[in-house]
Structure formats: C-alpha cells, structure tokens
Amino acid sequence: RDTTEKVFQDRQFQIDAAVVRIMKTRKTCTHAQLIAELFQVLKFPHRPADLKQRIESLIERDYLRRDADNSQVYVYVA
C-alpha cells in the first residue's frame, strides 16, 4: 500500500514536469494539443481526468493560466 502511494505521487510529479516542459517550449497550447502531447511523452498508463487534475493544480500554483479570450487555451507563466 505504501509503495502504491509513492508510485502515484511520483507519477504526479512526472506529469507536472512534463506539462511544464511542454508549456515552456510552446508558451501557449490548447487543451487538446497538450493532452495529445502528454500521451506521447508519458510512458506509464494514465487517464485524461488525471492529466486534467494536474493541469488544474499547476494553474492554482501559477505555473499556467487560462487564456482570457479562450478557456481551452493554456498560457505558460514564466
């Protein structure tokens, strides 16, 4: 059980890092593009709902923000 929690936490960090890496290079990206790229980059099984949760977490922590005109577009906050 302890191992499962550690793996889950490690995967959350990996998702966060992948999102930030992608957004650093692109600066802006639609939700669909970001999810598609994450599916290519991440090597472990994951659900779109988990990815969305991590993106929301990054928005709350001011790594990303939603575009003012289009809520489907994310903008990297340097």
Side-chain angles (χ1 to χ4, degrees):
R1 184 167 194 231
D2 225 14
T3 306
T4 306
E5 288 176 20
K6 285 182 181 176
V7 168
F8 181 73
Q9 193 173 30
D10 285 346
R11 288 182 176 179
Q12 285 186 325
F13 292 141
Q14 287 179 337
I15 293 169
D16 289 357
V19 170
V20 170
R21 268 196 313 272
I22 292 166
M23 291 304 296
K24 246 184 188 178
T25 57
R26 288 184 176 254
K27 303 297 183 214
T28 63
C29 190
T30 67
H31 179 76
Q33 286 174 320
L34 183 56
I35 295 295
E37 200 155 334
L38 285 170
F39 269 102
Q40 290 177 343
V41 171
L42 298 172
K43 303 294 184 207
F44 52 85
H46 48 279
R47 299 177 320 195
D50 294 335
L51 301 181
K52 185 165 175 48
Q53 179 184 14
R54 298 315 307 158
I55 292 168
E56 292 298 329
S57 171
L58 289 168
I59 290 171
E60 288 172 11
R61 292 183 283 154
D62 294 327
Y63 284 90
L64 307 176
R65 66 176 171 80
R66 292 186 189 280
D67 186 70
D69 300 325
N70 185 351
S71 64
Q72 288 293 306
V73 175
Y74 301 115
V75 178
Y76 178 71
V77 179

